[in-house]
Amino acid sequence: MKMIDGHTRTCGLIGNPVEHTLSPLIHNTLAKQLNHNLVYVPFHVEEGQVHQAVDGAFALNILGLNVTVPYKSQVMDSLVQIDDLAQKIGAVNTLVRCEKGYKGYNTDMPGLYRALASEKIKLEGQEVILLGAGGAARAVAFMCASKNVKRVYLLNRSVEKAKAVADEVNAKSGRECIYPMALENYNELPDQKFLAIQATSVGLHPNVEHAVIEDQAFYQRIHTGYDLIYKPRDTRFMQLVRENGGCAFHGLKMLLYQGIIAYELWNDVSVSESMAAQVYKALEERA
Ligand code: NAP
């Protein structure tokens, strides 16, 4: 980041809470590396104030915003345009300034895709177990469908939610590739090895001692486990995957790349892998 002056561009994050965010570290490190005169700040927005926040940001000439919980869907009513993927997913996490207002994007899913690619994990043609049916899992299911995953077994505690997500993703993607299941029926999965994406909130700090499924037999079916959680960086899910011979990854690179893609959209630049590695190092030190 350069010295703040009359030319400094502002980007930021709107959400509630925002106090725990690592996004300023990502964007201010990138601005410094790229010698951009840009500053990124978190804005705590109260419930019911999202529309005013977006309008106010536009009036203040803010270049771009990230959006976090609980406003990723709500913010869509305040935008002049929404990218196709974000529209399908039904969630926006990045606003890019255009002539009459902001255009909404979802960089969480391309972020996850880039994170998987950086670990040499391929989605195309794979059989995937997806744990969870909340906001993150829903978006992962859309991404799997759009990346030609062969089949996704979507396991969730509330099976109705799993069914609703599967119906929606299958209908919108025009492929019957998401198979909903109750979480407790995991022993009915076909007897083979899977890539498993852990998208429940079980195991998230401070409740770190549990995984959403504790049975070792389940983990014998997993060759690669990707946990969206990055705090802690070694979750119980990851430990169980490794104990049963699989490779395990946490979600910090997903966080990194969703930020990088947003930064690229705001500034019309391409962030190199060596720059990404430096930002990741800073994140690892702080997360
Ligand atoms: P969410 O919408 O609240 O969904 C939570 C999910 O966890 C639901 O499927 C829920 O099942 C399940 N769950 C919660 N407690 C459970 C329990 N005790 N037993 C079984 N299942 C349980 O949350 P989200 O926004 O999707 O986020 C999910 C996780 O992804 C969070 O840990 C978040 O930190 C992480 N995440 C990471 C990134 C990243 O950049 N790395 C980005 C987004 C999210 P029910 O439907 O049955 O309640």
Side-chain angles (χ1 to χ4, degrees):
M1 191 174 73
K2 288 185 167 181
M3 182 79 90
I4 291 175
D5 63 15
H7 299 281
T8 303
R9 296 308 309 264
T10 308
C11 289
L13 169 72
I14 57 171
N16 185 353
V18 291
E19 289 70 18
H20 62 284
T21 180
L22 290 167
S23 291
L25 180 63
I26 299 177
H27 296 286
N28 291 321
T29 305
L30 285 169
K32 193 171 168 192
Q33 281 175 334
L34 288 155
N35 203 23
H36 285 166
N37 191 350
L38 182 151
V39 65
Y40 182 100
V41 281
F43 299 109
H44 181 112
V45 174
E46 292 299 341
E47 192 61 48
Q49 300 281 307
V50 180
H51 193 73
Q52 290 94 319
V54 173
D55 273 2
F58 190 75
L60 290 169
N61 198 26
I62 285 180
L63 180 63
L65 290 171
N66 283 136
V67 184
T68 189
V69 179
Y71 302 132
K72 288 187 185 187
S73 300
Q74 227 182 92
V75 77
M76 293 170 83
D77 294 336
S78 309
L79 307 176
V80 290
Q81 216 184 330
I82 296 172
D83 164 74
D84 284 350
L85 176 69
Q87 188 71 264
K88 264 194 187 166
I89 294 172
V92 157
N93 79 321
T94 299
L95 311 189
V96 177
R97 187 181 186 85
C98 39
E99 205 189 329
K100 298 248 160 64
Y102 291 100
K103 178 172 177 179
Y105 291 84
N106 185 305
T107 71
D108 282 330
M109 282 315 109
L112 173 60
Y113 189 69
R114 216 151 130 181
L116 292 173
S118 82
E119 309 289 9
K120 313 261 180 292
I121 302 170
K122 200 171 144 260
L123 277 179
E124 290 81 357
Q126 289 256 21
E127 302 244 349
V128 173
I129 295 173
L130 175 55
L131 298 169
R138 201 166 155 276
V140 175
F142 268 112
M143 187 186 63
C144 288
S146 74
K147 297 293 179 189
N148 288 321
V149 164
K150 196 165 160 197
R151 213 170 271 142
V152 178
Y153 294 96
L154 178 66
L155 276 65
N156 197 46
R157 176 177 61 179
S158 334
V159 70
E160 311 74 43
K161 254 166 94 179
K163 283 184 182 146
V165 171
D167 286 350
E168 190 191 346
V169 177
N170 287 336
K172 284 192 184 166
S173 63
R175 291 177 63 213
E176 287 290 315
C177 60
I178 316 283
Y179 295 77
M181 286 174 67
L183 188 67
E184 72 254 27
N185 292 343
Y186 61 84
N187 52 6
E188 292 171 12
L189 284 162
D191 196 10
Q192 62 179 80
K193 293 270 192 182
F194 294 91
L195 161 66
I197 300 179
Q198 198 307 106
T200 76
S201 43
V202 182
L204 182 64
H205 177 83
N207 303 310
V208 299
E209 66 281 6
H210 293 296
V212 67
I213 296 173
E214 298 274 356
D215 183 356
Q216 297 274 355
F218 170 71
Y219 292 89
Q220 281 163 20
R221 291 188 161 102
I222 299 176
H223 60 73
T224 307
Y226 195 97
D227 199 331
L228 262 48
I229 292 174
Y230 55 83
K231 195 172 179 185
R233 288 222 292 284
D234 192 23
T235 63
R236 182 75 190 123
F237 169 82
M238 291 167 64
Q239 290 162 8
L240 285 161
V241 169
R242 281 200 311 271
E243 282 169 21
N244 287 279
C247 296
F249 302 89
H250 56 73
L252 195 60
K253 279 201 178 163
M254 173 180 173
L255 180 79
L256 167 78
Y257 283 110
Q258 64 73 33
I260 285 181
I261 297 168
Y263 194 94
E264 289 175 335
L265 286 167
W266 293 329
N267 295 290
D268 200 17
V269 290
S270 164
V271 172
S272 68
E273 282 311 302
S274 67
M275 263 183 212
Q278 285 175 50
V279 181
Y280 188 64
K281 199 163 163 259
L283 270 179
E284 273 188 310
E285 279 162 14
R286 185 85 69 83

